Amino acid sequence: MPKTVTKRREKRPAAGLDLRMTRRVVVEGVLPQVDGGRFPVKRVAGDQVVVTADVFADGHDVLAAALLFRKAGDRDWQETPMALLDNDRWSGRFVVDALGRYEYTVEGWIDRFESWRHELTKKFEAGQDVSSELLEGAALIRNTGDPALSRIASDLEEAGRTQRARVVVALSEDLRAWMGRFADRSRATRFDRELAVIVERDRARFGAWYEMFPRSAGTDPTRSATFDEAAERLPYVAGMGFDVLYLPPIHPIGQSFRKGRNNTLEATAADPGSPWAIGADAGGHTAVDPALGTIDDFDRFVESARRHGLEIALDLAYQASPDHPYVGEHPEWFRHRPDGSIKYAENPPKKYQDIYPFNFESDAWQSLWSELKRVIEFWIEHGVKIFRVDNPHTKPFRFWEWALADIRRRHPDTIFLSEAFTRPKVMRYLAKVGFSQSYTYFTWRNTAAELTEYFTELTQTDVREYMRPNLFTNTPDILHAYLQRGGRPAFQTRLILAATLGASYGIYSGFELFENVPVKEGSEEYLDSEKYQIRIRDFDRAGSLAGTISRVNAIRREHPALQHDWGLQFHDSDNASLLCYSKRSPDERDTVLVIVNVDPFNMQHGFVRAPLTDWGVPSDSRIEVTDLLSGERYSWRGEWNYVRLDPQGRMAHILDVQIPAVRSTHD
Amino acid sequence: MPKTVTKRREKRPAAGLDLRMTRRVVVEGVLPQVDGGRFPVKRVAGDQVVVTADVFADGHDVLAAALLFRKAGDRDWQETPMALLDNDRWSGRFVVDALGRYEYTVEGWIDRFESWRHELTKKFEAGQDVSSELLEGAALIRNTGDPALSRIASDLEEAGRTQRARVVVALSEDLRAWMGRFADRSRATRFDRELAVIVERDRARFGAWYEMFPRSAGTDPTRSATFDEAAERLPYVAGMGFDVLYLPPIHPIGQSFRKGRNNTLEATAADPGSPWAIGADAGGHTAVDPALGTIDDFDRFVESARRHGLEIALDLAYQASPDHPYVGEHPEWFRHRPDGSIKYAENPPKKYQDIYPFNFESDAWQSLWSELKRVIEFWIEHGVKIFRVDNPHTKPFRFWEWALADIRRRHPDTIFLSEAFTRPKVMRYLAKVGFSQSYTYFTWRNTAAELTEYFTELTQTDVREYMRPNLFTNTPDILHAYLQRGGRPAFQTRLILAATLGASYGIYSGFELFENVPVKEGSEEYLDSEKYQIRIRDFDRAGSLAGTISRVNAIRREHPALQHDWGLQFHDSDNASLLCYSKRSPDERDTVLVIVNVDPFNMQHGFVRAPLTDWGVPSDSRIEVTDLLSGERYSWRGEWNYVRLDPQGRMAHILDVQIPAVRSTHD
């Protein structure tokens, strides 16, 4: 006799079988998501957050899914339905309109009514008897407990009516909509993590930066200009269309081991020292250099900039000169050598005796960290909401994560730019822990192939969810050989690349004057670097790039396509020196096509390909393009069009593309 | 007067600043990892688990990292050092030698001694005074508390010695090794998740399967063969070199709504019914069909198979015929229609009145689930350790996750093959929740391009971490048009593709006899399908594929390269009908190159490219290859070599590649 199951039918305690196991729906692969939800993604106010997820179950039931979202701190979720794309992928979206942190997750469930409706439809269309199905449906409807629905349930049960009549009621769109409100979500599956998005203001995503040493803003190279004198340069900067004016450190500068011109070890009495050697008798990170003025002068300068439409960004350089008040008051915040002296900065065998790094691992780390955060708060109180952070990669990530989150909780409009030029994962991690924007390798990407690869990575992979590039053409530390050798065409090319590849970009003062002399052959340091001396420039000089910069910044303000990074796409070119790319605004109403000659020495010409079919028009369409730099108009036919860019004339086209609203009629 | 920091120097309570925040090292991107650690990866006993991770910190300190692992349930971790690959990526490995579950994670820390050693080296080499550094090092060494080391510390401090002599001591490899044992890991960062690996026996990864209906194993088409008769076919199956003999359900078959030949609705008294209509008076899932014999007969059959080197795999089909004992004893385990009758299976408008699905969401789900798991345990008690699970995608994922994990805890040598032909994410999820192996889309991938794309996905993406393909050339449900039309060459091609692309593969009985007649044009169902009738075959027929199958299976057993899936690589071919790929064993000692003509109708010839440089030899090397099917030897020179495969002769080469041990001397 074969054994049968009947012999062991006692109900055994079902170990580990709790009700959560009856949730049949799987929710996984929710995007956007950074490191399994460890870090938030980034958006700016007004953005849509498009969320996708894999939602599926066993069997053939019809599913439903909702995107849940809330402002952090809210108890209740808001929700919006998700739609099935294909291959079990669902999509939904919500708008983030307030600054700060939002949370989101995804819930999926079996839609009993839709499943039933689907089955009923198929059977009825196949001419099968559906009386049993109608009764099942009636039970589903009655289960809602809704009195109005209860009457419909009775209709479905009413054997006196024809089956067809009852099916018409069962399948009505009204009933469907109504039943949607009573979905049984008791066994819904919620994604096992709550993901977060940090919402910043628009400037975190889009802005043109100008870097200027205020002490060089005067007319006398032997003394520091004051804030009041620097204020006189504001119309010039604002006139070029910049949004942010970034100042290197404005604090008192140490005397001990002060560096002389061109980074020499012996400074003369006349040398002003490096602004990054922060701290002297007059104070430290919350003081202003008396040579620039008082804190009240600074306040006035900030206000004056504001009136010119410029926002001030300060440098946050967490290090001290040997003369910094911290050194005497908080020796415990520094590392000490066996002889008791404080360790200066080193990159063996190089020594930086004018700089003491903080010891973030000091036993007194908590008071140090708190004080450093207070520095930020101090400047926020003085109207500064943008900080360019010097070398954040030499301070602990946890410090930044803590300090930036804390500052943002009270001042969600604060923006932090990470000045880290280091290994890629370290740069990305700084973005993950909270920096709004990041310096990039842009200065070292000069060929079309390098630019294509790098900006595809930055704007078309998940890196874009947390890292926003800010492209500087140059900095006081970086004068790339391309600029040193390429002359005016190189400056034109780099300006246009920065301003159109990046929604955020910047130039450091002097760029517009084509300053290109390095301290020595093979160095990226400027000769007579402004880091160590005051430099007076003739900004009104004929032939300056200022006019082009003004035009480019105006184009940026007029074209939403250039105010976003994600709409970037590179296009084919039959000449490796002609880089062709387009940008589209999120609503796709604005399209800008850019072609740049990256060879500053030679005329380059060839055919580039406009992605007509990507733009929804036939590949043989005629499109009208207008060069936003020159005002010239061209009528292009088909995808491949001829371009010629010559260092003797122009280095780039920035083309406004008018995409035909309707499909071409093959005129 | 500018404000200075001195005004607010009181120590404020540092909100949120706990000691964990002083951990400067980041550990992220640990691989392998499935869905953030939600699911284990899969390995077999003896495998190495290679773990990589991004480990980095702020600043320029030297880091160290360790891979931590343990058998689940162990309290203590074992550990092995990780090595830096490049770009902050580290790697380590451990061997899993026991069946069951292992856990692993990664820890990284700042290596103070190495950091100091690095700095000392650089400064000393630059000719700088390092007396201060020597004292710092002495402190580091003394901190270990180790008496022997303490003496070395004294040596470093001894100002009487030359600096060079002290540096020699400081930089000695002995000291370095010794200090490695005292690393200060108090602020080490451990990856925030413990990841898991499920270790199965070798058969989960490698095996050749043969599917056979035992009732067809006799000589009389009017009655079921018995297990004893089926045992007489074991030498035939074993002789072909198969490892696993898989039997469709062997349980009593229902009478109600029994299907007749070719799936007709009216069965005659002589029709044996579908084995998947499980359950009758004689019992259900833990009974054997009396026509096959008794449970003792089955036990004897299993033992007989074992003696032939064959392991029996049973079909696990969780559904009931209307006559199943469960129906009367546990009506609560089924869905009911409004009239009280039990709902039969449907795929509207199709009805399967001979099958009642279980209601996994029944109020009595716990007793149902427990009972279904007991079915597995029952057969394990009868010597069965491999289960081919019928349609797992129509049962809740959570059920499988629970049942398979529970079974494995007590019987870690149990293997489950998922027979799900459905959407890709559902198939993958079943693999994630615990199935050892999965059926695939292989039968529907017939061109070289389709095969290349699909097997690249299966073997070269992270899918391979949890999903092991088992490639069936055919099944009782799937006779692909390629086999219907392609004649003997098609069968040869598909056999060799399955056996060499997959470490696990299978054929369903009749394949070796080139059975290729569908029930009707356009159908993948067999004519006179064995699902509904007994089919007696002449396996000894001249011209059977059995000889080739034996040869192919022997080659598989001799070549470790063919026993693993991950070593697959596709190679260039100048003829789209010639598919070329190689497989290498994990130790790279065994290399097999396969070229298959996927066009069963025409001779195809052309050049294929052997990846000589990937194999570590110059691209113009001479290599010796031996066709393992024909025994012919060829001497190939350079990468591109000519191949000709003709349906009139052979459809494939399976080449044993002898890679020169030393670099070619350009003979």
Side-chain angles (χ1 to χ4, degrees):
Chain A
M1 260 285 290
K3 290 181 191 169
T4 70
V5 297
T6 59
K7 294 183 179 157
R8 287 212 215 166
R9 251 176 319 106
E10 74 282 13
K11 281 201 182 174
R12 296 190 303 169
L17 288 178
D18 66 78
L19 256 184
R20 276 175 308 155
M21 295 179 67
T22 62
R23 294 179 188 159
R24 287 172 45 207
V25 176
V26 172
V27 178
E28 63 171 12
V30 178
L31 292 178
Q33 183 179 172
V34 181
D35 295 350
R38 165 74 177 84
F39 298 105
V41 301
K42 296 197 174 90
R43 294 292 185 277
V44 302
D47 275 354
Q48 281 196 332
V49 182
V50 177
V51 177
T52 55
D54 290 334
V55 182
F56 53 87
D58 64 282
H60 307 288
D61 288 316
V62 178
L63 305 189
L67 169 59
L68 279 57
F69 61 98
R70 65 183 170 196
K71 192 92 173 60
D74 287 357
R75 185 192 166 82
D76 294 329
W77 294 98
Q78 296 180 259
E79 79 170 45
T80 177
M82 297 180 82
L84 177 61
L85 303 174
D86 68 348
N87 192 19
D88 296 316
R89 194 91 187 139
W90 295 66
S91 177
R93 58 192 65 207
F94 66 102
V95 172
V96 285
D97 39 27
L99 301 187
R101 190 181 175 95
Y102 283 75
E103 295 161 346
Y104 58 96
T105 193
V106 170
E107 195 168 294
W109 62 94
I110 289 169
D111 190 329
R112 306 271 171 197
F113 184 77
E114 281 296 323
S115 300
W116 168 81
R117 199 175 181 278
H118 184 73
E119 195 182 327
L120 177 70
T121 306
K122 274 179 131 177
K123 287 182 178 170
F124 186 71
E125 283 173 357
Q128 297 182 0
D129 174 71
V130 294
S131 51
S132 182
E133 284 68 25
L134 287 167
L135 295 178
E136 284 176 29
L140 262 180
I141 294 167
R142 210 180 288 286
N143 259 350
T144 62
D146 184 78
L149 285 173
S150 172
R151 268 188 293 120
I152 295 179
S154 303
D155 288 349
L156 299 199
E157 289 161 342
E158 198 182 320
R161 293 180 158 210
T162 65
Q163 213 165 79
R164 173 170 297 276
R166 288 147 73 197
V167 168
V168 167
V169 173
L171 299 182
S172 84
E173 286 297 332
D174 281 354
L175 176 61
R176 183 184 208 170
W178 200 248
M179 284 299 289
R181 301 167 58 176
F182 291 97
D184 173 13
R185 287 165 64 171
S186 60
R187 294 184 183 181
T189 300
R190 184 163 307 172
F191 185 59
D192 58 3
R193 271 152 283 176
E194 287 164 14
L195 305 171
V197 49
I198 287 288
V199 181
E200 296 178 273
R201 60 189 166 107
D202 208 49
R203 185 62 67 230
R205 189 198 62 219
F206 165 66
W209 291 46
Y210 188 78
E211 174 171 2
M212 181 183 91
F213 285 67
R215 69 184 183 187
S216 290
T219 51
D220 179 354
T222 68
R223 69 158 182 90
S224 170
T226 64
F227 281 125
D228 285 346
E229 289 169 300
E232 290 170 27
R233 292 236 63 84
L234 292 171
Y236 167 74
V237 178
M240 283 189 286
F242 287 101
D243 304 298
V244 178
L245 174 59
Y246 150 50
L247 311 180
I250 56 171
H251 315 299
I253 296 169
Q255 286 289 350
S256 305
F257 300 99
R258 177 176 281 194
K259 295 289 176 66
R261 292 183 166 231
N262 288 308
N263 202 17
T264 48
L265 293 178
E266 301 295 316
T268 69
D271 284 328
S274 162
W276 283 274
I278 296 170
D281 288 344
H285 284 73
T286 52
V288 293
D289 186 346
L292 288 166
T294 66
I295 188 73
D296 294 334
D297 296 339
F298 176 75
D299 292 346
R300 218 167 41 248
F301 179 75
V302 170
E303 175 55 22
S304 178
R306 196 192 58 73
R307 281 199 306 271
H308 283 95
L310 284 167
E311 194 172 344
I312 297 298
L314 280 195
D315 197 299
L316 209 57
Y318 284 141
Q319 56 193 20
S321 92
D323 308 322
H324 198 295
Y326 288 159
V327 175
E329 293 159 8
H330 288 286
E332 72 276 14
W333 288 349
F334 301 89
R335 284 185 204 279
H336 297 263
R337 294 158 59 95
D339 67 4
S341 66
I342 293 181
K343 288 195 85 161
Y344 46 78
E346 291 179 281
N347 184 11
K350 287 193 205 160
K351 304 177 178 190
Y352 305 96
Q353 287 160 294
D354 57 336
I355 301 290
Y356 288 170
F358 292 113
N359 178 8
F360 282 81
E361 297 178 295
S362 142
D363 288 340
W365 65 278
Q366 290 163 313
S367 63
L368 170 65
W369 291 24
S370 296
E371 169 62 14
L372 296 180
K373 180 161 67 67
R374 195 187 65 83
V375 169
I376 305 173
E377 288 163 346
F378 175 89
W379 292 107
I380 289 176
E381 284 165 24
H382 285 276
V384 177
K385 292 296 183 79
I386 305 183
F387 297 90
R388 174 272 197 196
V389 179
D390 193 69
N391 281 332
H393 57 294
T394 59
K395 289 91 190 173
F397 301 114
R398 293 276 190 176
F399 166 73
W400 296 119
E401 187 171 18
W402 166 79
L404 272 47
D406 191 80
I407 294 290
R408 276 213 185 87
R409 258 189 297 276
R410 266 158 305 141
H411 310 285
D413 54 347
T414 318
I415 292 171
F416 296 93
L417 167 61
S418 160
E419 188 253 10
F421 295 110
T422 180
R423 307 188 308 284
K425 286 166 189 170
V426 173
M427 288 171 65
R428 290 183 186 178
Y429 202 76
L430 287 163
K432 289 178 184 178
V433 300
F435 282 91
S436 316
Q437 303 189 335
S438 308
Y439 279 66
T440 69
Y441 302 141
F442 170 67
T443 35
W444 300 283
R445 299 292 181 273
N446 289 285
T447 68
E450 287 167 353
L451 288 160
T452 301
E453 184 188 355
Y454 188 49
F455 282 90
T456 298
E457 174 195 320
L458 289 180
T459 69
Q460 307 304 318
T461 72
D462 68 347
V463 171
R464 73 184 193 179
E465 295 290 351
Y466 56 86
M467 185 164 169
R468 297 195 193 97
N470 190 337
L471 315 183
F472 270 75
T473 56
N474 63 324
T475 78
D477 298 308
I478 310 171
L479 171 66
H480 191 275
Y482 185 90
L483 294 177
Q484 294 176 26
R485 298 187 196 131
R488 298 174 56 104
F491 283 77
Q492 287 179 42
T493 284
R494 297 300 293 178
L495 170 75
I496 287 166
L497 287 171
T500 57
L501 284 172
S504 295
Y505 89 105
I507 68 171
Y508 155 56
S509 192
F511 180 87
E512 67 268 45
L513 302 178
F514 309 102
E515 290 180 0
N516 68 345
V517 185
V519 67
K520 62 181 179 203
E521 178 67 26
S523 169
E524 293 188 345
E525 289 278 339
Y526 280 90
L527 176 67
D528 299 332
S529 169
E530 207 168 354
K531 288 190 286 183
Y532 312 106
Q533 69 191 71
I534 289 158
R535 287 186 62 151
I536 307 302
R537 298 179 173 94
D538 178 9
F539 290 105
D540 303 324
R541 194 166 86 193
S544 150
L545 198 59
T548 303
I549 294 170
S550 303
R551 184 74 207 115
V552 168
N553 282 335
I555 293 168
R556 284 167 48 88
R557 288 186 178 172
E558 286 155 17
H559 286 272
L562 298 176
Q563 297 168 16
H564 295 83
D565 283 327
W566 295 13
L568 177 65
Q569 264 201 301
F570 290 94
H571 307 299
D572 293 337
S573 160
D574 70 1
N575 178 334
S577 291
L578 292 178
L579 180 63
C580 177
Y581 52 93
S582 65
K583 280 189 133 180
R584 303 194 85 183
S585 58
D587 64 8
E588 303 198 342
R589 282 194 215 152
D590 184 38
T591 304
V592 173
L593 186 72
V594 183
I595 304 118
V596 185
N597 176 4
V598 298
D599 174 1
F601 303 109
N602 301 292
M603 185 277 282
Q604 296 288 348
H605 66 132
F607 285 82
V608 296
R609 182 184 192 170
L612 297 187
T613 52
D614 289 356
W615 292 341
V617 295
S619 59
D620 59 352
S621 301
R622 186 184 296 282
I623 55 168
E624 304 298 321
V625 299
T626 305
D627 190 318
L628 295 165
L629 289 168
S630 69
E632 289 162 312
R633 297 174 64 102
Y634 307 92
S635 187
W636 278 7
R637 176 67 182 263
E639 295 191 312
W640 289 92
N641 290 278
Y642 178 78
V643 172
R644 183 180 190 279
L645 293 165
D646 190 342
Q648 302 301 318
R650 69 189 71 175
M651 289 301 283
H653 292 297
I654 303 179
L655 301 170
D656 176 51
V657 180
Q658 292 304 319
I659 295 169
V662 290
R663 290 185 144 257
S664 160
T665 52
H666 295 251
D667 55 335
Chain B
M1 257 286 291
K3 290 180 192 170
T4 71
V5 297
T6 59
K7 292 182 180 159
R8 289 212 215 165
R9 247 174 324 103
E10 75 282 14
K11 277 202 186 175
R12 295 190 302 167
L17 288 176
D18 65 79
L19 255 184
R20 276 174 307 155
M21 296 180 65
T22 62
R23 294 178 186 159
R24 287 172 44 207
V25 177
V26 172
V27 179
E28 63 172 11
V30 178
L31 291 179
Q33 182 179 174
V34 182
D35 295 348
R38 165 74 177 85
F39 298 104
V41 300
K42 296 196 173 91
R43 293 293 187 275
V44 302
D47 276 352
Q48 281 196 334
V49 182
V50 177
V51 177
T52 55
D54 291 334
V55 182
F56 54 88
D58 64 281
H60 306 288
D61 288 315
V62 177
L63 306 189
L67 168 59
L68 279 58
F69 61 97
R70 64 184 170 196
K71 193 90 171 61
D74 287 358
R75 185 191 165 82
D76 295 330
W77 293 99
Q78 296 180 260
E79 79 170 47
T80 177
M82 297 179 81
L84 177 61
L85 301 175
D86 67 348
N87 191 20
D88 297 316
R89 193 91 188 138
W90 296 65
S91 177
R93 58 191 66 206
F94 65 102
V95 172
V96 285
D97 40 27
L99 302 189
R101 191 180 174 95
Y102 282 75
E103 294 162 347
Y104 58 95
T105 193
V106 169
E107 194 168 295
W109 61 93
I110 290 168
D111 189 329
R112 308 270 171 197
F113 184 77
E114 281 297 324
S115 299
W116 167 81
R117 198 175 182 278
H118 183 75
E119 194 182 327
L120 177 71
T121 306
K122 274 179 128 177
K123 288 183 177 169
F124 186 71
E125 283 173 357
Q128 297 182 2
D129 175 73
V130 293
S131 53
S132 183
E133 284 68 26
L134 287 166
L135 295 178
E136 283 175 31
L140 260 181
I141 294 166
R142 210 181 289 286
N143 259 350
T144 62
D146 183 80
L149 285 173
S150 171
R151 268 188 294 123
I152 295 179
S154 303
D155 288 350
L156 298 199
E157 289 161 342
E158 198 183 318
R161 292 180 157 210
T162 66
Q163 212 166 78
R164 173 171 298 274
R166 288 148 72 199
V167 168
V168 167
V169 173
L171 298 183
S172 83
E173 286 297 330
D174 281 354
L175 176 61
R176 182 184 209 172
W178 200 247
M179 282 299 290
R181 302 167 56 175
F182 291 96
D184 173 12
R185 288 164 64 172
S186 61
R187 292 184 185 182
T189 299
R190 182 160 314 169
F191 184 58
D192 58 3
R193 270 151 284 175
E194 287 166 13
L195 305 171
V197 51
I198 287 289
V199 181
E200 296 178 271
R201 60 189 165 107
D202 208 49
R203 185 62 68 229
R205 190 199 61 218
F206 165 65
W209 292 45
Y210 187 78
E211 174 172 1
M212 181 182 92
F213 285 68
R215 69 185 182 185
S216 290
T219 52
D220 179 353
T222 67
R223 69 159 182 85
S224 170
T226 63
F227 280 126
D228 285 347
E229 288 168 302
E232 290 170 28
R233 293 237 62 85
L234 292 171
Y236 166 74
V237 178
M240 283 189 288
F242 286 101
D243 305 298
V244 178
L245 174 59
Y246 150 50
L247 311 180
I250 56 170
H251 315 300
I253 297 169
Q255 286 288 352
S256 305
F257 301 98
R258 176 177 280 193
K259 296 290 175 68
R261 292 182 165 228
N262 287 309
N263 202 17
T264 49
L265 294 177
E266 299 296 314
T268 68
D271 284 330
S274 162
W276 282 275
I278 296 170
D281 288 346
H285 283 74
T286 53
V288 294
D289 186 349
L292 287 166
T294 67
I295 189 73
D296 292 336
D297 295 340
F298 175 76
D299 291 346
R300 217 164 44 245
F301 178 76
V302 171
E303 175 56 22
S304 179
R306 196 192 58 72
R307 282 199 306 272
H308 283 94
L310 284 168
E311 193 172 345
I312 297 299
L314 280 195
D315 197 299
L316 209 57
Y318 284 141
Q319 56 194 20
S321 93
D323 308 322
H324 197 295
Y326 288 158
V327 174
E329 293 160 6
H330 288 288
E332 73 277 12
W333 288 350
F334 299 91
R335 283 186 205 278
H336 297 262
R337 294 157 60 93
D339 66 3
S341 66
I342 293 180
K343 288 195 85 161
Y344 45 78
E346 291 179 282
N347 185 9
K350 287 193 206 160
K351 303 178 178 192
Y352 305 96
Q353 287 162 295
D354 58 334
I355 301 289
Y356 288 170
F358 293 113
N359 178 8
F360 283 80
E361 298 178 292
S362 143
D363 287 341
W365 64 278
Q366 290 163 313
S367 64
L368 171 66
W369 291 25
S370 295
E371 169 63 14
L372 296 180
K373 180 161 68 67
R374 195 186 65 82
V375 168
I376 305 173
E377 287 163 346
F378 176 90
W379 292 108
I380 290 176
E381 284 165 22
H382 287 276
V384 177
K385 291 295 182 78
I386 307 184
F387 297 90
R388 175 270 196 195
V389 179
D390 193 68
N391 281 331
H393 57 294
T394 58
K395 289 90 190 173
F397 301 114
R398 292 278 191 174
F399 166 74
W400 296 119
E401 187 169 19
W402 167 79
L404 271 48
D406 190 81
I407 294 289
R408 276 213 184 89
R409 257 190 297 277
R410 266 159 304 140
H411 310 284
D413 54 348
T414 318
I415 292 171
F416 296 93
L417 166 61
S418 160
E419 188 252 10
F421 295 111
T422 181
R423 308 188 308 283
K425 286 167 188 167
V426 173
M427 288 172 64
R428 289 182 186 178
Y429 202 76
L430 287 163
K432 289 178 183 176
V433 300
F435 282 91
S436 315
Q437 303 189 335
S438 309
Y439 278 66
T440 69
Y441 302 142
F442 170 67
T443 36
W444 299 284
R445 299 292 181 274
N446 290 285
T447 68
E450 287 166 353
L451 288 160
T452 300
E453 184 187 355
Y454 188 49
F455 283 90
T456 298
E457 174 195 321
L458 290 180
T459 68
Q460 306 304 319
T461 72
D462 68 348
V463 172
R464 73 184 193 178
E465 295 290 352
Y466 56 87
M467 185 165 171
R468 297 194 192 98
N470 190 336
L471 316 184
F472 270 75
T473 56
N474 63 324
T475 78
D477 298 307
I478 310 171
L479 171 67
H480 191 275
Y482 186 90
L483 294 177
Q484 294 176 27
R485 298 188 194 130
R488 297 174 57 104
F491 283 76
Q492 286 178 44
T493 284
R494 297 300 293 179
L495 169 75
I496 287 167
L497 287 171
T500 57
L501 283 172
S504 295
Y505 90 104
I507 68 170
Y508 154 56
S509 190
F511 181 88
E512 67 268 44
L513 302 179
F514 309 103
E515 289 179 1
N516 68 345
V517 185
V519 68
K520 62 181 180 203
E521 179 64 26
S523 169
E524 293 188 346
E525 287 279 338
Y526 280 91
L527 176 68
D528 299 332
S529 168
E530 207 169 355
K531 288 190 286 184
Y532 312 107
Q533 68 190 69
I534 288 158
R535 287 186 62 150
I536 307 302
R537 297 179 174 94
D538 177 10
F539 289 105
D540 302 325
R541 194 166 87 193
S544 150
L545 199 60
T548 303
I549 294 169
S550 303
R551 185 72 207 115
V552 168
N553 282 335
I555 293 168
R556 285 167 47 90
R557 287 186 179 173
E558 286 155 17
H559 285 273
L562 299 177
Q563 296 167 17
H564 295 82
D565 283 327
W566 294 13
L568 176 66
Q569 264 201 299
F570 290 95
H571 307 302
D572 294 334
S573 160
D574 69 2
N575 179 334
S577 292
L578 292 177
L579 180 63
C580 177
Y581 51 94
S582 65
K583 279 189 134 180
R584 302 195 84 180
S585 57
D587 63 7
E588 302 197 343
R589 282 195 214 152
D590 184 39
T591 303
V592 173
L593 186 72
V594 183
I595 304 115
V596 185
N597 176 4
V598 298
D599 174 1
F601 303 108
N602 302 292
M603 185 275 281
Q604 296 289 347
H605 66 132
F607 284 83
V608 296
R609 182 183 192 170
L612 297 187
T613 52
D614 288 355
W615 292 341
V617 294
S619 59
D620 59 352
S621 301
R622 185 184 297 282
I623 55 166
E624 304 298 321
V625 300
T626 305
D627 189 318
L628 295 165
L629 289 168
S630 69
E632 289 163 312
R633 297 174 63 101
Y634 307 92
S635 187
W636 279 7
R637 176 64 184 266
E639 294 192 311
W640 288 93
N641 289 277
Y642 177 78
V643 173
R644 182 180 191 281
L645 293 164
D646 190 342
Q648 300 303 318
R650 70 189 69 178
M651 291 300 285
H653 292 296
I654 303 179
L655 301 170
D656 175 51
V657 181
Q658 292 303 321
I659 296 169
V662 290
R663 291 185 143 258
S664 158
T665 52
H666 295 249
D667 54 335

